[in-house]
């Protein structure tokens, strides 16, 4: 029989956790993993005058001969997937012909989703951020494309764009009034709870280690666990749960 409810304060505790990391390497190989500038100095000790430019050209030629075909192979495989992600970030390139060192360039990232298949992650350099870069790289891709709100991705006409919940969550975080992070009547807080629960579903209840089944897609359309998430916060009916 229920008698009463009491509030019990449990003092916080501090403890020291020591974390160790094991690193394995080949003693002979690790000594050779040095920049070409220092390698050139090492070669001089053996009376071999090999310039930095020569060694850099060796790297470039080997990359074109062996890594470029591999890159193109994975590029074709990525375009065959049903889901892909894309993003771009600025960077500066020194000594680029016809461009100042302070000029902003971009590194584009394209990767596969967590669909249980072998992950594919590819980078593409471009001196600009124009959407034609995404169009060129994703030519032939007809699946779902997750990206941020950059309008350049709108040019990828064959892809079905999906929004990134992590980006949406940032705006909700900024929208929460100061000191009201736990005020569940705030719409922005409700949105944060909703998105956090979506993340929980994907991390815990959805197993992306297996191939996505039709049931999973149906769940994302409002059935199964997905509809439970909606009803938890009464978002489907427009009511607050708190």
């Amino acid at each position: 029989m229920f008698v009463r409810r009491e509030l019990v304060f449990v003092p916080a505790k501090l403890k020291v956790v020591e974390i160790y990391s094991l690193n394995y390497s080949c003693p002979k190989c690790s000594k050779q993993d040095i920049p070409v500038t220092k390698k050139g100095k090492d070669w001089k000790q053996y009376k071999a005058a090999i310039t930095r430019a020569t060694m850099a050209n060796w790297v470039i030629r080997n990359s074109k001969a062996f890594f470029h075909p591999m890159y193109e192979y994975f590029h074709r495989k990525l375009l065959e997937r049903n889901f892909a992600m894309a993003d771009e970030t600025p960077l500066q390139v020194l000594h680029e012909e016809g461009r100042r060192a302070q000029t902003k360039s971009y590194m584009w990232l394209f990767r596969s989703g967590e669909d249980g298949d072998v992950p594919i992650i590819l980078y593409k350099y471009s001196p600009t951020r124009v959407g034609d870069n995404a169009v060129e790289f994703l030519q032939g891709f007809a699946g779902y494309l997750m990206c941020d709100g950059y309008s350049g991705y709108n040019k990828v006409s064959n892809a079905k764009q999906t929004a990134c919940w992590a980006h949406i969550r940032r705006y909700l975080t900024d929208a929460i009034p100061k000191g009201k992070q736990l005020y569940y009547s705030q719409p922005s807080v409700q949105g944060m709870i909703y998105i956090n629960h979506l993340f929980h579903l994907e991390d815990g209840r959805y197993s992306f280690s297996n191939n996505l089944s039709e049931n999973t897609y149906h769940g994302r359309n409002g059935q199964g666990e997905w509809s439970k998430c909606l009803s938890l916060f009464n978002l489907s009916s427009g009511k607050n749960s708190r």
Side-chain angles (χ1 to χ4, degrees), residues 137-234:
F137 190 90
L138 296 172
Q139 186 176 2
F141 177 74
Y144 292 92
L145 177 64
M146 176 174 286
C147 51
D148 55 19
Y150 174 48
S151 60
Y153 294 107
N154 295 337
K155 293 185 177 182
V156 187
S157 57
N158 293 331
K160 308 174 187 67
Q161 285 195 40
T162 61
C164 174
W165 284 109
H167 283 81
I168 297 174
R169 190 178 184 276
R170 296 176 190 172
Y171 289 101
L172 292 173
T173 302
D174 296 337
I176 299 176
K178 186 176 181 179
K180 294 190 177 181
Q181 288 80 1
L182 299 179
Y183 283 59
Y184 302 121
S185 60
Q186 293 288 331
S188 51
V189 176
Q190 295 174 17
M192 289 281 292
I193 298 174
Y194 173 67
I195 294 176
N196 288 343
H197 193 69
L198 295 183
F199 289 165
H200 171 71
L201 288 177
E202 290 196 336
D203 290 340
R205 301 184 187 182
Y206 283 111
S207 177
F208 283 100
S209 59
N210 299 321
N211 291 331
L212 292 174
S213 63
E214 287 297 322
N215 292 331
T216 306
Y217 283 113
H218 291 323
R220 288 180 177 270
N221 288 329
Q223 301 179 17
E225 293 294 336
W226 216 251
S227 60
K228 291 180 182 179
C229 178
L230 292 174
S231 61
L232 178 64
F233 301 107
N234 292 322

Side-chain angles (χ1 to χ4, degrees), residues 114-151:
E114 297 177 348
D115 53 6
D117 208 338
V118 177
I120 300 175
I121 303 174
L122 299 175
Y123 293 87
K124 179 183 184 298
Y125 167 77
S126 174
T128 67
R129 197 192 180 199
V130 296
D132 293 338
N133 292 292
V135 174
E136 178 186 355
F137 190 90
L138 296 172
Q139 186 176 2
F141 177 74
Y144 292 92
L145 177 64
M146 176 174 286
C147 51
D148 55 19
Y150 174 48
S151 60

Side-chain angles (χ1 to χ4, degrees), residues 38-121:
K38 294 182 178 180
K39 263 187 195 301
K41 295 179 180 179
D42 289 344
W43 283 113
K44 281 186 177 181
Q45 296 178 0
Y46 297 100
K47 309 301 181 182
I50 303 176
T51 65
R52 180 177 62 178
T54 299
M55 288 185 285
N57 285 326
W58 288 348
V59 175
I60 294 173
R61 291 178 61 181
N62 277 279
S63 298
K64 289 182 177 180
F66 300 104
F67 289 108
H68 184 71
M70 186 185 303
Y71 181 95
E72 292 299 325
Y73 170 78
F74 285 118
H75 185 190
R76 294 192 299 270
K77 288 299 181 181
L78 178 62
L79 298 179
E80 296 174 359
R81 298 289 184 90
N82 295 321
F83 183 83
M85 307 178 195
D87 199 3
E88 75 290 335
T89 186
L91 78 160
Q92 290 182 337
V93 180
L94 301 178
H95 308 300
E96 189 173 14
E97 185 176 356
R99 291 166 61 87
R100 298 171 59 244
Q102 294 79 10
T103 304
K104 186 181 294 185
S105 301
Y106 287 88
M107 184 65 72
W108 294 69
L109 168 66
F110 302 90
R111 65 154 298 163
S112 59
E114 297 177 348
D115 53 6
D117 208 338
V118 177
I120 300 175
I121 303 174

